Amino acid sequence: MRKAYATAMKMLLFLATLATTPFLIAAAPLLAGAEQRRSDQMSALQARRTGAPSLREIESRVIPTMRGAQYLGSDYDSGSAIYTLKFLRDGTVIWVDVDGRTGQIVGRTGR
C-alpha cells in the first residue's frame, strides 16, 4: 500500500511539474526584463551621483521643444547612458535620444 501511495505521489509530482513548466519558461523573460530595468535604474542613480543630469532635468529641457506633441515616457539604456524620450504628434511616434551624461540631444526620429 505504501509503495502504491509513493508511486501515485511521484506521478502527481511529475504531472504538476509538466503542467507548470510552460509558465516558468514563459515568465523567465519577464524576470530577466525586470532585472535589466533594475540594473538600468541603478546605473542612472550612479550617474546622477557623479553629476549627470536627472531625468527630470532632461525632460524639462526637451519637452518644451516638442510643441504639439504628447509626451509618452522614457527609457534608459545603461550600456550607452542614453535616455530615449517618446512623443506622439499627429499619429507619428517621435523618439528623442538624450545623452544621460551631458543632457545633450544626440538623435531624433520623426518630425
Side-chain angles (χ1 to χ4, degrees), residues 7-72:
T7 302
M9 291 307 292
K10 286 180 185 177
M11 181 61 79
L12 184 59
L13 180 62
F14 175 73
L15 292 174
T17 302
L18 282 179
T20 59
T21 299
F23 298 109
L24 296 174
I25 292 170
L30 297 174
L31 296 174
E35 185 61 33
Q36 181 62 45
R37 284 189 299 278
R38 179 167 170 72
S39 174
D40 287 347
Q41 290 172 346
M42 293 304 293
S43 295
L45 177 61
Q46 184 62 32
R48 181 74 180 113
R49 288 180 177 157
T50 61
S54 69
L55 175 59
R56 296 223 188 271
E57 291 169 334
I58 290 170
E59 289 171 338
S60 71
R61 291 182 207 158
V62 176
I63 292 173
T65 68
M66 300 297 295
R67 290 181 184 87
Q70 177 186 3
Y71 180 54
L72 302 175

Side-chain angles (χ1 to χ4, degrees), residues 62 65-66 69 82-89 91-98 105-111:
V62 176
T65 68
M66 300 297 295
I82 298 290
Y83 284 97
T84 301
L85 281 65
K86 187 176 179 181
F87 297 87
L88 182 64
R89 180 188 296 138
T92 301
V93 177
I94 303 165
W95 287 275
V96 179
D97 294 330
V98 180
I105 295 174
V106 295
R108 179 177 166 157
T109 63
R111 290 283 163 214

